[in-house]
Amino acid sequence: MKRDGTYFDQQHFAHLLRENEAAAAEVRNAEREERAAAIRAEEASRSNRYEVDRDWRQAQISIQVKTDQDKIDRDIENSPYSCTAQELREWVCEATNDGARPALLVAPFFHDELNREGNDGGPHAFRVAIRRAWVNSQWAADVGSMDGTMKRPLRQTDLDVALLQKALSDLPVILVYGDVQAGKRVWPSLTAWNIVDSGNRSIQVNFPPLALPRNSADEEIQRTNRLAFEDELGYSTALTIGLLGEWFHLANYGRSPYIHRTLPDNMGLERRAMALGLISAYEVAIQRRRVEGAAGRIEQAVLCRDAQFADEARNFALNALNICESSNTSVIDTSQARLLLDVLTEIGDPSQVARASRILEVVSYRSTMRSLGW
């Protein structure tokens, strides 16, 4: 209140103060309303931007999902197998115990006289013959057969093989496929990878062309000739697959080969071919220390003897003999020493037989002492 002036002046001054305070309050209320309106507008704008961004993200996700699904559908449609690459790898892993044995895939043979629909739709010749020959063989457990994995012939041969190798790059696989030329000639082929060496290196086997049986007016004779042809094709393919399986188990686990001993006596040529094909596998097994040097040489000598290559068998046996003598005979066991003696008894001279007999005696003596705890 004013210290001087009349009562009227004081009342007038108080009235002015109240009006100023009311005006200031109105200004403050207006500012609050303005700030609140700005905040509401900002929140509305932010909410609108969020909704727009959300709708945009959802649209992008939908487009990406549709694009990915279209790609998966195209890959499945164009690939030689009837699933995604990831599913194929999971199936092969399960069938082979994570690569503990090779997987066998058999593709229908491609007919050059048929169009795409004719090849893809079938009937798929030779697949049944190859599968049955393998399943009925005595060594079918060495390789895991996955019949039905391949849905069509490899009409894009190199590209289809590359797709399979990409999908199963770290697993041992044996792939059988082929072509039928002009309805008269069959070209079987085989590609395998991770059998001995891992990586992109593969084994390619192109079998000699086989002439299809000539047509006959007698349907029964024609059917019989065709079945005989397919049986022969299936069995020769099964032998090659078996040889690769022997390579895999010998080079990776040191397992002694046995298939050549299961073949009948009238298949002497095939037995020799199987035995010779395994001699070099022992070099890999010895290098990887899956098989000891002397034991590997003895096994090589036995393979050469079975293949009727006496000179080569004698050389391997003498090599093993020298290793045993220089290593004080501690590198082989009794069964291996007896096997060495058997080989040299058959193809060696008396002095070599005597040396092998001394080694067998020493190894047997040490084995007996060891069994008695001495």
Side-chain angles (χ1 to χ4, degrees), residues 42-347:
E42 183 179 355
E43 290 177 349
S45 176
R46 188 183 304 114
S47 176
N48 185 57
R49 286 197 304 271
Y50 172 78
E51 291 177 357
V52 171
D53 291 343
R54 181 194 60 194
D55 294 342
W56 176 247
R57 287 194 301 270
Q58 290 178 345
Q60 285 182 315
I61 292 172
S62 299
I63 293 172
Q64 187 63 44
V65 169
K66 183 66 167 60
T67 301
D68 293 343
Q69 186 61 49
D70 289 344
K71 183 179 183 302
I72 292 173
D73 293 340
R74 286 195 306 271
D75 290 344
I76 293 177
E77 181 181 359
N78 296 327
S79 69
Y81 42 86
S82 56
C83 59
T84 65
Q86 180 62 32
E87 289 173 333
L88 174 66
R89 189 185 182 284
E90 291 174 357
W91 292 348
V92 173
C93 281
E94 183 178 355
T96 61
N97 193 20
D98 290 332
R101 60 175 181 167
L104 172 61
L105 306 180
V106 179
F109 281 37
F110 175 78
H111 292 252
D112 64 353
E113 292 186 322
L114 299 179
N115 58 18
R116 173 172 177 167
E117 290 74 18
N119 271 292
D120 292 1
H124 294 153
F126 311 122
R127 183 180 66 84
V128 173
I130 294 173
R131 174 180 177 272
R132 295 311 308 178
W134 175 254
V135 171
N136 292 332
S137 67
Q138 299 182 44
W139 50 90
D142 290 350
V143 177
S145 176
M146 297 192 64
D147 185 57
T149 303
M150 309 300 293
K151 67 178 181 181
R152 63 165 175 81
L154 305 188
R155 44 181 162 77
Q156 305 170 145
T157 312
D158 295 333
L159 178 59
D160 288 336
V161 172
L163 288 174
L164 283 163
Q165 287 181 319
K166 182 178 180 180
L168 305 172
S169 59
D170 60 334
L171 295 170
V173 175
I174 300 173
L175 170 66
V176 179
Y177 57 99
D179 304 291
V180 180
Q181 183 182 14
K184 295 183 178 298
R185 187 182 299 161
V186 178
W187 297 83
S189 298
L190 181 150
T191 300
W193 57 92
N194 294 327
I195 299 301
V196 177
D197 296 322
S198 58
N200 295 325
R201 298 180 61 184
S202 61
I203 300 171
Q204 180 69 39
V205 179
N206 293 315
F207 295 88
L210 304 173
L212 281 168
R214 293 183 177 181
N215 294 331
S216 173
D218 191 325
E219 292 185 3
E220 186 61 28
I221 293 177
Q222 182 173 340
R223 187 178 296 109
T224 301
N225 293 338
R226 178 62 180 249
L227 289 175
F229 172 85
E230 293 193 5
D231 290 343
E232 181 181 356
L233 172 62
Y235 196 71
S236 62
T237 305
L239 282 177
T240 307
I241 298 169
L243 178 60
L244 292 174
E246 292 269 56
W247 263 82
F248 177 84
H249 290 286
L250 175 57
N252 291 282
Y253 306 117
R255 192 195 72 183
S256 297
Y258 69 96
I259 292 181
H260 63 287
R261 293 193 296 269
T262 66
L263 300 179
D265 294 337
N266 62 350
M267 298 186 65
L269 182 61
E270 288 81 359
R271 295 179 68 177
R272 295 181 66 188
M274 292 288 289
L276 286 175
L278 290 164
I279 291 174
S280 56
Y282 267 103
E283 298 296 335
V284 179
I286 292 172
Q287 181 182 7
R288 295 184 177 181
R289 299 187 181 277
R290 300 292 189 267
V291 179
E292 292 298 329
R297 300 306 177 200
I298 294 173
E299 292 282 354
Q300 286 175 312
V302 173
L303 283 171
C304 288
R305 182 199 62 183
D306 294 343
Q308 300 178 1
F309 289 99
D311 293 338
E312 289 79 1
R314 187 181 303 106
N315 291 335
F316 282 122
L318 292 177
N319 193 333
L321 197 63
N322 293 332
I323 295 175
C324 293
E325 291 175 338
S326 62
S327 303
N328 200 18
T329 69
S330 59
V331 293
I332 60 174
D333 57 26
T334 305
S335 62
Q336 293 165 346
R338 185 175 295 108
L339 193 59
L340 176 61
L341 177 59
D342 292 341
V343 172
L344 287 174
T345 300
E346 184 175 341
I347 61 175

Side-chain angles (χ1 to χ4, degrees), residues 10-30:
Q10 292 178 354
Q11 291 297 320
H12 180 68
F13 182 74
H15 176 70
L16 292 177
L17 287 177
R18 287 193 296 271
E19 286 184 349
N20 289 336
E21 290 177 357
E26 289 293 335
V27 170
R28 289 194 296 272
N29 290 335

